[in-house]
Amino acid sequence: MSLTFASWNINSIRTRAHLVKDWLDRNEACTLLCLQEIKCEAHQFPPLFEEAGFHVAVAGQKAYNGVALISRAPLTITTDHLPGFESDEARYIEAELDDVTIGNLYLPNGNSGGEAGFAKKLNFFDALYHRARALQQEGRSFAFIGDYNVCPTDEDYAPKALSPNDALLHPESRAGFRRLLWSGLTDALRCLHPTGQHYTFWDYQAGAYQRNSGLRIDHALLSPRLADRLTSFTIDKDERGRDKPSDHVPVVVTLS
């Protein structure tokens, strides 16, 4: 059975709910949209999606972080936090849909908070690895999709878009991402497009979008059975050109 799902760091859902609703209306094949950085508590999530018949699940917090699921089909929420990641920050929500487990994640940036802030980033990677192992042992087909805040290789960011010591490029950040791949997961984009510059984020400063000075930090990692079903991975770059957009754009995965 085919399935299309997407991820979008929306950078405040209350500011951009109309952009999300418009995108869903234009992308009817997308069953599930995973949002990050919604920046609100669950009771503040805009009601227009449920009013339009969507199923909504939110793991939110006041003003920062937060993740949400907007689905055309009923969802079974398996957890509203990442097991093993000891934090009160809302950064993970997981659901089952059509016998597929989808983990929606917003991984810590790692550039703020000094050593403790960077350690939080690595702790999330470690917990995500162990969640992958647990789902593998259960025989689940699953995907981890969202804002990973890491450029896995030098090809995944434009020249001079980041300073060399940025946490998104740190060897330990990249090692955390590679560890997930070595556990048996597949980077959906690189499976279909092994090389080339494919960005999902453009900073608001210095005309980054107009200059295509971007980053690839929004990823979908697929378990083996899902990787076998992968037919397309699309970056909806045009959304970055909308009026008052998020600095990220939707990434869309389609399985046969």
Side-chain angles (χ1 to χ4, degrees):
M1 182 177 180
S2 64
L3 175 64
T4 298
F5 56 96
S7 171
W8 195 358
N9 179 321
I10 197 59
N11 193 11
S12 180
I13 183 61
R14 289 182 290 176
T15 300
R16 299 185 172 87
H18 63 293
L19 294 179
V20 174
K21 179 60 167 55
D22 179 66
W23 189 88
L24 286 166
D25 290 343
R26 289 183 285 109
N27 291 268
E28 295 182 355
C30 182
T31 299
L32 175 67
L33 176 60
C34 303
L35 298 177
Q36 304 90 40
E37 209 171 355
I38 60 171
K39 296 184 177 180
C40 69
E41 297 176 278
H43 71 275
Q44 298 172 313
F45 198 86
L48 78 163
F49 301 101
E50 289 184 319
E51 291 170 355
F54 291 96
H55 302 265
V56 176
V58 179
Q61 69 180 81
K62 186 176 181 179
Y64 297 97
N65 305 318
V67 289
L69 303 170
I70 302 176
S71 176
R72 300 184 194 275
L75 294 168
T76 299
I77 304 303
T78 49
T79 180
D80 63 359
H81 65 282
L82 179 59
F85 180 63
E86 303 300 328
S87 173
D88 58 359
E89 296 180 351
R91 291 186 174 274
Y92 187 85
I93 189 169
E94 184 185 284
E96 291 183 6
L97 179 69
D98 293 338
D99 295 322
V100 174
T101 299
I102 305 289
N104 172 20
L105 63 98
Y106 177 43
L107 206 140
N109 181 284
N111 280 309
S112 61
E115 292 183 4
F118 187 66
K120 183 190 300 181
K121 184 185 190 81
L122 300 184
N123 290 341
F124 193 103
F125 264 125
D126 188 61
L128 194 62
Y129 168 81
H130 288 289
R131 184 59 180 165
R133 297 293 292 171
L135 292 171
Q136 288 165 338
Q137 290 169 4
E138 294 170 11
R140 298 293 303 169
S141 295
F142 66 94
F144 291 150
I145 189 168
D147 180 358
Y148 282 72
N149 269 315
V150 62
C151 298
T153 72
D154 288 351
E155 196 171 26
D156 294 313
Y157 70 102
K160 300 181 180 180
L162 293 171
S163 65
N165 61 348
D166 195 286
L168 277 64
L169 308 179
H170 196 284
E172 289 184 86
S173 301
R174 289 177 164 181
F177 190 85
R178 286 197 304 272
R179 189 186 186 198
L180 291 167
L181 299 180
W182 293 344
S183 76
L185 304 188
T186 294
D187 180 342
L189 180 133
R190 288 305 179 198
C191 178
L192 299 173
H193 307 284
T195 62
Q197 296 174 324
H198 303 273
Y199 304 141
T200 65
F201 167 96
W202 295 262
D203 195 272
Y204 291 125
Q205 305 299 318
Y209 178 65
Q210 290 75 15
R211 296 184 295 108
N212 198 30
S213 180
L215 316 174
R216 185 174 81 99
I217 55 178
D218 302 273
H219 309 293
L221 300 189
L222 310 179
S223 67
R225 284 201 296 267
L226 289 194
D228 286 344
R229 295 170 54 190
L230 178 64
T231 60
S232 71
F233 183 97
T234 304
I235 300 172
D236 194 350
K237 183 178 178 180
D238 290 345
E239 284 299 313
R240 185 61 177 81
R242 301 286 295 276
D243 184 44
K244 298 181 180 178
S246 171
D247 40 9
H248 297 248
V249 297
V251 299
V252 186
V253 177
T254 300
L255 309 176
S256 62

